[in-house]
Amino acid sequence: MDATKSFYVEFIGDRSIKVKEGESILDASLAAGIPHYHACGGNAKCSTCRVLIKEGIQNLTPYTEKEKLLRERMRIPQNVRLACQTFVTGSPVLLHRIIRDETDIKLYIKEDTKSVLQNIGEERELALFFLDIRNFTLFMEAYLAFDVIHVIRRLFTLFRKCIEENHGRIIETAGDGFYAVFGMESRIQAAVNDAYNAAHLILKELDIFNNQYLKKYFNYEVSVGIGLHMGKVIVGNIGIGVNNNLTVMGMPVNIASRIQTATKEVNNSFLISDSIYRLLRQPPQARQMKIALKGVRDLFNIHLC
């Protein structure tokens, strides 16, 4: 007869499971079929298995030495524990996983990508969209690599969803930013309005992400700078055998990038060029100003949205 004690733990949003004495919360949840993510393999080298304790914190074992070391590096609230290092000593215990929803899980499932570009070296008139995440270096300094990668992947999943819902395509990512194009399959006025709508959707969704996820679980929030311009560019396939062979080149691309850079100088999250503004179906009452852009001889007219 097995005399090992066991306790019930309720995973909020999942179900109640039985945890044996001497069995970590992570091991018990995995054994019960709960998709509990653990990027480092449950060795306290990351914090992706963290759980938020809603009730019963007194029924958990003290911090292990590994958890103490990690908590010294990160500002983790007392009601957040590493599931791989935490054991149950009594009931009740109510908690939920921080990496717990479908959006999180899909970040770790590879997707097949297919090139749809058939033409090489074609001139197109496109809306050009540049975005950069601000102050992300501070986050990277405060958290472990696994946590940084998880958050940046979640952010880019959010950005990609907003871009693609508005018929855009991300062309290139670099560090904590990216650029996208609109108009590959539409006329320029529709492309401009799609790009403008995508920018506002990103700002709206980012605000929700900050308030409901990043502030709550990481005690942090991020902001972005977005620059939008349009013009005739060369679209082609560079053909080097990687998934994203599409490239878009031309002076309008450089201008869009520099407009995005100017968001820091004017302390505004979203700047658009005058050519973008003139094609908007419902142009906002936006402040206008002239700024100097690197590589552009004359002052450039922008609108602060």
Side-chain angles (χ1 to χ4, degrees):
M1 180 176 179
D2 187 359
T4 303
K5 292 181 181 179
S6 60
F7 311 95
Y8 282 95
V9 172
E10 181 179 347
F11 278 73
I12 299 169
D14 292 303
R15 59 185 180 277
S16 293
I17 67 169
K18 185 183 291 186
V19 182
K20 296 178 182 178
E21 187 176 32
E23 183 181 32
S24 72
I25 291 176
L26 175 62
D27 287 341
S29 62
L30 292 174
I34 293 175
H36 201 149
Y37 196 74
H38 49 296
C40 72
N43 293 307
K45 294 182 179 180
C46 73
S47 68
T48 55
C49 73
R50 283 185 292 174
V51 288
L52 178 66
I53 311 301
K54 303 296 290 185
E55 185 179 336
I57 195 168
Q58 72 278 5
N59 293 322
L60 303 176
T61 53
Y63 305 141
T64 64
E65 290 303 315
K66 287 183 177 181
E67 187 172 5
K68 286 179 181 178
L69 289 173
L70 188 139
R71 297 180 78 92
E72 287 176 1
R73 296 183 58 185
M74 303 171 58
R75 291 178 293 180
I76 301 177
Q78 289 187 347
N79 63 339
V80 173
R81 296 294 306 270
L82 294 185
C84 69
Q85 301 295 305
T86 305
F87 302 82
V88 182
T89 59
S91 296
V93 175
L94 281 73
L95 53 81
H96 69 72
R97 294 172 291 126
I98 290 178
I99 301 180
R100 62 187 299 273
D101 59 22
E102 291 183 1
T103 301
D104 281 336
I105 295 170
K106 287 178 180 177
L107 294 179
Y108 301 96
I109 299 176
K110 293 182 179 180
E111 296 178 346
D112 293 330
T113 56
K114 297 180 180 179
S115 174
V116 297
L117 184 69
Q118 300 298 323
N119 298 314
I120 299 177
E122 179 180 354
E123 185 178 67
R124 305 284 287 270
E125 190 172 29
L126 302 175
L128 309 162
F129 183 114
F130 274 76
L131 179 147
D132 185 67
I133 304 172
R134 294 175 177 170
N135 301 323
F136 202 70
T137 301
L138 296 176
F139 183 84
M140 291 190 291
E141 292 172 350
Y143 288 90
L144 300 177
F146 288 107
D147 299 306
V148 172
I149 291 171
H150 171 69
V151 169
I152 200 72
R153 291 185 73 180
R154 176 131 187 182
L155 283 168
F156 273 79
T157 298
L158 182 155
F159 299 151
R160 180 180 176 182
K161 176 176 177 290
C162 295
I163 294 294
E164 292 182 350
E165 281 185 359
N166 286 280
H167 316 294
R169 184 185 304 180
I170 293 178
I171 299 300
E172 181 178 328
T173 62
D176 47 11
F178 71 89
Y179 85 90
V181 299
F182 295 75
M184 293 294 293
E185 299 174 354
S186 63
R187 294 183 180 275
I188 189 60
Q189 184 173 21
V192 164
N193 283 272
D194 284 339
Y196 181 81
N197 292 336
H200 278 290
L201 183 58
I202 283 175
L203 294 173
K204 176 184 175 182
E205 292 294 325
L206 184 60
D207 187 58
I208 295 172
F209 179 74
N210 276 325
N211 289 318
Q212 296 185 1
Y213 193 89
L214 209 53
K215 289 181 183 178
K216 186 174 182 180
Y217 299 130
F218 291 90
N219 192 32
Y220 202 83
E221 63 178 309
V222 298
S223 59
V224 297
I226 300 172
L228 191 55
H229 186 46
M230 56 157 286
K232 290 185 178 180
V233 294
I234 299 299
V235 179
N237 190 305
I238 59 177
I240 60 174
V242 296
N243 284 337
N244 188 5
N245 292 326
L246 184 64
T247 187
V248 179
M249 301 178 66
M251 190 60 186
V253 176
N254 298 338
I255 292 175
S257 175
R258 289 159 191 168
I259 291 174
Q260 181 279 311
T261 300
T263 60
K264 297 179 182 178
E265 301 169 10
V266 302
N267 193 29
N268 189 274
S269 295
F270 183 24
L271 302 180
I272 65 175
S273 66
D274 196 52
S275 56
I276 291 286
Y277 187 84
R278 290 196 299 266
L279 288 182
L280 293 178
R281 297 188 182 97
Q282 296 180 317
Q285 295 296 319
R287 176 187 169 197
Q288 299 182 53
M289 64 185 301
K290 292 183 180 293
I291 60 173
L293 297 179
K294 182 180 178 181
V296 179
R297 183 177 59 184
D298 299 323
L299 292 178
F300 203 84
N301 197 33
I302 60 166
H303 300 254
L304 286 68
C305 297

